[in-house]
Amino acid sequence: MKPGTPEEEWCEDCAPRRVLSLFATKWMSMVLHTLHARHGGACRTGALQRSLPGSSKKMLTQTLREMEEIGLVSRHVLSEIPPAVEYRLTRLGERFVEPVELLYAWGRDNPDALDELGSRSTARRV
């Protein structure tokens, strides 16, 4: 298979699949969107959790750790009493916000299309 050929696009480690793997869980895209749109790119853990209805502390912690590990956010311990932690989008995280925001905008602009989707067994919305 030659680089740039259509067959290459279906490889397991192709760029489209690698991008989509970042959104395999809903929380990663939601954290990116929330940090960007509601908090200007930086937020304390507690405020971030309050901004994400339905998220558990455990799920948010796991998601933030994974995002830090892959370079989308950085963790900063603030020198306050009591100590506080703030998460900030990295330059890489800011680049990934763009496609997330496009998807969120499409969702806001096309609720009728989303309403036409059949119900999924894992969906919360009935």
Side-chain angles (χ1 to χ4, degrees), residues 33-57:
H33 169 72
T34 303
L35 272 172
H36 170 74
R38 296 194 71 191
H39 300 287
C43 187
R44 294 168 107 174
T45 312
L48 185 57
Q49 184 176 3
R50 287 188 296 277
S51 298
L52 292 164
S55 68
S56 68
K57 185 176 182 178

PDB file of all heavy atoms in Angstrom, residues 33-57:
ATOM      1  N   HIS A  33     -14.619  20.825  25.353  1.00  0.00           N
ATOM      2  CA  HIS A  33     -15.604  21.862  25.055  1.00  0.00           C
ATOM      3  C   HIS A  33     -15.848  22.749  26.275  1.00  0.00           C
ATOM      4  O   HIS A  33     -15.858  23.978  26.168  1.00  0.00           O
ATOM      5  CB  HIS A  33     -16.914  21.213  24.602  1.00  0.00           C
ATOM      6  CG  HIS A  33     -18.052  22.154  24.511  1.00  0.00           C
ATOM      7  ND1 HIS A  33     -18.161  23.115  23.527  1.00  0.00           N
ATOM      8  CD2 HIS A  33     -19.145  22.312  25.303  1.00  0.00           C
ATOM      9  CE1 HIS A  33     -19.269  23.805  23.710  1.00  0.00           C
ATOM     10  NE2 HIS A  33     -19.881  23.341  24.780  1.00  0.00           N
ATOM     11  N   THR A  34     -16.041  22.153  27.430  1.00  0.00           N
ATOM     12  CA  THR A  34     -16.353  22.909  28.641  1.00  0.00           C
ATOM     13  C   THR A  34     -15.185  23.784  29.069  1.00  0.00           C
ATOM     14  O   THR A  34     -15.372  24.954  29.423  1.00  0.00           O
ATOM     15  CB  THR A  34     -16.771  21.953  29.774  1.00  0.00           C
ATOM     16  OG1 THR A  34     -17.889  21.187  29.320  1.00  0.00           O
ATOM     17  CG2 THR A  34     -17.161  22.710  31.023  1.00  0.00           C
ATOM     18  N   LEU A  35     -13.974  23.234  29.041  1.00  0.00           N
ATOM     19  CA  LEU A  35     -12.802  24.052  29.384  1.00  0.00           C
ATOM     20  C   LEU A  35     -12.697  25.257  28.458  1.00  0.00           C
ATOM     21  O   LEU A  35     -12.421  26.374  28.904  1.00  0.00           O
ATOM     22  CB  LEU A  35     -11.520  23.220  29.289  1.00  0.00           C
ATOM     23  CG  LEU A  35     -11.107  22.449  30.520  1.00  0.00           C
ATOM     24  CD1 LEU A  35      -9.937  21.518  30.207  1.00  0.00           C
ATOM     25  CD2 LEU A  35     -10.750  23.375  31.664  1.00  0.00           C
ATOM     26  N   HIS A  36     -12.936  25.034  27.191  1.00  0.00           N
ATOM     27  CA  HIS A  36     -12.813  26.108  26.200  1.00  0.00           C
ATOM     28  C   HIS A  36     -13.978  27.101  26.272  1.00  0.00           C
ATOM     29  O   HIS A  36     -13.766  28.303  26.440  1.00  0.00           O
ATOM     30  CB  HIS A  36     -12.733  25.498  24.799  1.00  0.00           C
ATOM     31  CG  HIS A  36     -12.834  26.495  23.704  1.00  0.00           C
ATOM     32  ND1 HIS A  36     -11.796  27.343  23.380  1.00  0.00           N
ATOM     33  CD2 HIS A  36     -13.850  26.805  22.864  1.00  0.00           C
ATOM     34  CE1 HIS A  36     -12.177  28.115  22.380  1.00  0.00           C
ATOM     35  NE2 HIS A  36     -13.421  27.820  22.056  1.00  0.00           N
ATOM     36  N   ALA A  37     -15.200  26.587  26.155  1.00  0.00           N
ATOM     37  CA  ALA A  37     -16.366  27.450  25.990  1.00  0.00           C
ATOM     38  C   ALA A  37     -16.846  28.100  27.285  1.00  0.00           C
ATOM     39  O   ALA A  37     -17.312  29.233  27.265  1.00  0.00           O
ATOM     40  CB  ALA A  37     -17.512  26.651  25.361  1.00  0.00           C
ATOM     41  N   ARG A  38     -16.724  27.417  28.392  1.00  0.00           N
ATOM     42  CA  ARG A  38     -17.269  27.949  29.646  1.00  0.00           C
ATOM     43  C   ARG A  38     -16.216  28.510  30.580  1.00  0.00           C
ATOM     44  O   ARG A  38     -16.537  29.272  31.483  1.00  0.00           O
ATOM     45  CB  ARG A  38     -18.062  26.869  30.369  1.00  0.00           C
ATOM     46  CG  ARG A  38     -19.289  26.443  29.564  1.00  0.00           C
ATOM     47  CD  ARG A  38     -20.245  25.644  30.357  1.00  0.00           C
ATOM     48  NE  ARG A  38     -20.908  26.522  31.334  1.00  0.00           N
ATOM     49  CZ  ARG A  38     -21.647  26.059  32.325  1.00  0.00           C
ATOM     50  NH1 ARG A  38     -21.829  24.770  32.468  1.00  0.00           N
ATOM     51  NH2 ARG A  38     -22.219  26.876  33.167  1.00  0.00           N
ATOM     52  N   HIS A  39     -14.955  28.108  30.389  1.00  0.00           N
ATOM     53  CA  HIS A  39     -13.933  28.501  31.358  1.00  0.00           C
ATOM     54  C   HIS A  39     -12.690  29.132  30.731  1.00  0.00           C
ATOM     55  O   HIS A  39     -11.665  29.250  31.401  1.00  0.00           O
ATOM     56  CB  HIS A  39     -13.541  27.294  32.212  1.00  0.00           C
ATOM     57  CG  HIS A  39     -14.701  26.732  32.983  1.00  0.00           C
ATOM     58  ND1 HIS A  39     -15.237  27.359  34.082  1.00  0.00           N
ATOM     59  CD2 HIS A  39     -15.448  25.620  32.780  1.00  0.00           C
ATOM     60  CE1 HIS A  39     -16.258  26.641  34.549  1.00  0.00           C
ATOM     61  NE2 HIS A  39     -16.402  25.590  33.774  1.00  0.00           N
ATOM     62  N   GLY A  40     -12.752  29.474  29.466  1.00  0.00           N
ATOM     63  CA  GLY A  40     -11.638  30.166  28.839  1.00  0.00           C
ATOM     64  C   GLY A  40     -10.341  29.379  28.792  1.00  0.00           C
ATOM     65  O   GLY A  40      -9.268  29.950  28.712  1.00  0.00           O
ATOM     66  N   GLY A  41     -10.418  28.052  28.868  1.00  0.00           N
ATOM     67  CA  GLY A  41      -9.235  27.215  28.734  1.00  0.00           C
ATOM     68  C   GLY A  41      -8.602  26.752  30.034  1.00  0.00           C
ATOM     69  O   GLY A  41      -7.674  25.952  30.001  1.00  0.00           O
ATOM     70  N   ALA A  42      -9.097  27.233  31.181  1.00  0.00           N
ATOM     71  CA  ALA A  42      -8.530  26.820  32.469  1.00  0.00           C
ATOM     72  C   ALA A  42      -9.626  26.784  33.525  1.00  0.00           C
ATOM     73  O   ALA A  42     -10.502  27.653  33.540  1.00  0.00           O
ATOM     74  CB  ALA A  42      -7.429  27.780  32.898  1.00  0.00           C
ATOM     75  N   CYS A  43      -9.557  25.780  34.397  1.00  0.00           N
ATOM     76  CA  CYS A  43     -10.605  25.648  35.399  1.00  0.00           C
ATOM     77  C   CYS A  43     -10.152  24.748  36.536  1.00  0.00           C
ATOM     78  O   CYS A  43      -9.399  23.801  36.332  1.00  0.00           O
ATOM     79  CB  CYS A  43     -11.847  25.052  34.743  1.00  0.00           C
ATOM     80  SG  CYS A  43     -13.285  25.022  35.791  1.00  0.00           S
ATOM     81  N   ARG A  44     -10.649  25.048  37.716  1.00  0.00           N
ATOM     82  CA  ARG A  44     -10.407  24.180  38.865  1.00  0.00           C
ATOM     83  C   ARG A  44     -11.286  22.941  38.732  1.00  0.00           C
ATOM     84  O   ARG A  44     -12.342  22.962  38.108  1.00  0.00           O
ATOM     85  CB  ARG A  44     -10.719  24.918  40.154  1.00  0.00           C
ATOM     86  CG  ARG A  44      -9.763  26.075  40.403  1.00  0.00           C
ATOM     87  CD  ARG A  44     -10.272  26.938  41.495  1.00  0.00           C
ATOM     88  NE  ARG A  44      -9.445  26.708  42.678  1.00  0.00           N
ATOM     89  CZ  ARG A  44      -9.562  27.401  43.781  1.00  0.00           C
ATOM     90  NH1 ARG A  44     -10.481  28.333  43.906  1.00  0.00           N
ATOM     91  NH2 ARG A  44      -8.768  27.147  44.803  1.00  0.00           N
ATOM     92  N   THR A  45     -10.834  21.870  39.346  1.00  0.00           N
ATOM     93  CA  THR A  45     -11.505  20.585  39.222  1.00  0.00           C
ATOM     94  C   THR A  45     -12.971  20.637  39.647  1.00  0.00           C
ATOM     95  O   THR A  45     -13.847  20.154  38.939  1.00  0.00           O
ATOM     96  CB  THR A  45     -10.757  19.509  40.031  1.00  0.00           C
ATOM     97  OG1 THR A  45      -9.368  19.589  39.737  1.00  0.00           O
ATOM     98  CG2 THR A  45     -11.254  18.125  39.698  1.00  0.00           C
ATOM     99  N   GLY A  46     -13.245  21.222  40.800  1.00  0.00           N
ATOM    100  CA  GLY A  46     -14.612  21.268  41.309  1.00  0.00           C
ATOM    101  C   GLY A  46     -15.546  22.049  40.402  1.00  0.00           C
ATOM    102  O   GLY A  46     -16.678  21.628  40.132  1.00  0.00           O
ATOM    103  N   ALA A  47     -15.091  23.197  39.925  1.00  0.00           N
ATOM    104  CA  ALA A  47     -15.909  24.010  39.023  1.00  0.00           C
ATOM    105  C   ALA A  47     -16.142  23.276  37.707  1.00  0.00           C
ATOM    106  O   ALA A  47     -17.229  23.348  37.129  1.00  0.00           O
ATOM    107  CB  ALA A  47     -15.234  25.357  38.766  1.00  0.00           C
ATOM    108  N   LEU A  48     -15.137  22.561  37.243  1.00  0.00           N
ATOM    109  CA  LEU A  48     -15.281  21.793  36.013  1.00  0.00           C
ATOM    110  C   LEU A  48     -16.334  20.705  36.190  1.00  0.00           C
ATOM    111  O   LEU A  48     -17.200  20.519  35.333  1.00  0.00           O
ATOM    112  CB  LEU A  48     -13.931  21.192  35.608  1.00  0.00           C
ATOM    113  CG  LEU A  48     -13.873  20.466  34.278  1.00  0.00           C
ATOM    114  CD1 LEU A  48     -14.312  21.357  33.121  1.00  0.00           C
ATOM    115  CD2 LEU A  48     -12.460  19.945  34.038  1.00  0.00           C
ATOM    116  N   GLN A  49     -16.297  20.021  37.308  1.00  0.00           N
ATOM    117  CA  GLN A  49     -17.288  18.966  37.550  1.00  0.00           C
ATOM    118  C   GLN A  49     -18.699  19.554  37.621  1.00  0.00           C
ATOM    119  O   GLN A  49     -19.636  18.983  37.084  1.00  0.00           O
ATOM    120  CB  GLN A  49     -16.970  18.176  38.808  1.00  0.00           C
ATOM    121  CG  GLN A  49     -17.955  17.019  38.973  1.00  0.00           C
ATOM    122  CD  GLN A  49     -17.647  16.125  40.138  1.00  0.00           C
ATOM    123  OE1 GLN A  49     -16.712  16.368  40.896  1.00  0.00           O
ATOM    124  NE2 GLN A  49     -18.424  15.081  40.281  1.00  0.00           N
ATOM    125  N   ARG A  50     -18.845  20.691  38.264  1.00  0.00           N
ATOM    126  CA  ARG A  50     -20.170  21.320  38.343  1.00  0.00           C
ATOM    127  C   ARG A  50     -20.664  21.747  36.964  1.00  0.00           C
ATOM    128  O   ARG A  50     -21.858  21.840  36.727  1.00  0.00           O
ATOM    129  CB  ARG A  50     -20.136  22.517  39.293  1.00  0.00           C
ATOM    130  CG  ARG A  50     -20.038  22.110  40.758  1.00  0.00           C
ATOM    131  CD  ARG A  50     -20.211  23.297  41.696  1.00  0.00           C
ATOM    132  NE  ARG A  50     -19.160  24.307  41.575  1.00  0.00           N
ATOM    133  CZ  ARG A  50     -17.977  24.227  42.182  1.00  0.00           C
ATOM    134  NH1 ARG A  50     -17.673  23.186  42.944  1.00  0.00           N
ATOM    135  NH2 ARG A  50     -17.088  25.190  42.038  1.00  0.00           N
ATOM    136  N   SER A  51     -19.748  22.004  36.043  1.00  0.00           N
ATOM    137  CA  SER A  51     -20.102  22.405  34.680  1.00  0.00           C
ATOM    138  C   SER A  51     -20.455  21.219  33.790  1.00  0.00           C
ATOM    139  O   SER A  51     -20.857  21.414  32.648  1.00  0.00           O
ATOM    140  CB  SER A  51     -18.943  23.164  34.033  1.00  0.00           C
ATOM    141  OG  SER A  51     -18.666  24.339  34.739  1.00  0.00           O
ATOM    142  N   LEU A  52     -20.269  20.015  34.292  1.00  0.00           N
ATOM    143  CA  LEU A  52     -20.518  18.802  33.502  1.00  0.00           C
ATOM    144  C   LEU A  52     -21.592  17.951  34.182  1.00  0.00           C
ATOM    145  O   LEU A  52     -21.282  16.963  34.849  1.00  0.00           O
ATOM    146  CB  LEU A  52     -19.217  18.000  33.350  1.00  0.00           C
ATOM    147  CG  LEU A  52     -18.143  18.634  32.493  1.00  0.00           C
ATOM    148  CD1 LEU A  52     -16.798  17.968  32.736  1.00  0.00           C
ATOM    149  CD2 LEU A  52     -18.530  18.553  31.024  1.00  0.00           C
ATOM    150  N   PRO A  53     -22.857  18.328  34.051  1.00  0.00           N
ATOM    151  CA  PRO A  53     -23.925  17.548  34.679  1.00  0.00           C
ATOM    152  C   PRO A  53     -23.851  16.082  34.264  1.00  0.00           C
ATOM    153  O   PRO A  53     -23.607  15.768  33.097  1.00  0.00           O
ATOM    154  CB  PRO A  53     -25.204  18.192  34.156  1.00  0.00           C
ATOM    155  CG  PRO A  53     -24.799  19.554  33.707  1.00  0.00           C
ATOM    156  CD  PRO A  53     -23.369  19.433  33.269  1.00  0.00           C
ATOM    157  N   GLY A  54     -24.028  15.212  35.233  1.00  0.00           N
ATOM    158  CA  GLY A  54     -24.001  13.780  34.960  1.00  0.00           C
ATOM    159  C   GLY A  54     -22.630  13.142  35.110  1.00  0.00           C
ATOM    160  O   GLY A  54     -22.504  11.928  35.042  1.00  0.00           O
ATOM    161  N   SER A  55     -21.604  13.961  35.299  1.00  0.00           N
ATOM    162  CA  SER A  55     -20.264  13.392  35.454  1.00  0.00           C
ATOM    163  C   SER A  55     -20.028  13.052  36.921  1.00  0.00           C
ATOM    164  O   SER A  55     -20.479  13.748  37.815  1.00  0.00           O
ATOM    165  CB  SER A  55     -19.190  14.376  34.988  1.00  0.00           C
ATOM    166  OG  SER A  55     -19.116  15.483  35.851  1.00  0.00           O
ATOM    167  N   SER A  56     -19.313  11.967  37.133  1.00  0.00           N
ATOM    168  CA  SER A  56     -18.915  11.618  38.497  1.00  0.00           C
ATOM    169  C   SER A  56     -17.500  12.122  38.726  1.00  0.00           C
ATOM    170  O   SER A  56     -16.741  12.343  37.776  1.00  0.00           O
ATOM    171  CB  SER A  56     -18.971  10.103  38.701  1.00  0.00           C
ATOM    172  OG  SER A  56     -17.962   9.474  37.935  1.00  0.00           O
ATOM    173  N   LYS A  57     -17.148  12.278  39.966  1.00  0.00           N
ATOM    174  CA  LYS A  57     -15.791  12.716  40.305  1.00  0.00           C
ATOM    175  C   LYS A  57     -14.771  11.714  39.765  1.00  0.00           C
ATOM    176  O   LYS A  57     -13.738  12.088  39.212  1.00  0.00           O
ATOM    177  CB  LYS A  57     -15.653  12.870  41.815  1.00  0.00           C
ATOM    178  CG  LYS A  57     -14.336  13.435  42.251  1.00  0.00           C
ATOM    179  CD  LYS A  57     -14.284  13.668  43.751  1.00  0.00           C
ATOM    180  CE  LYS A  57     -12.958  14.272  44.146  1.00  0.00           C
ATOM    181  NZ  LYS A  57     -12.895  14.551  45.581  1.00  0.00           N
TER     182      LYS A  57
END
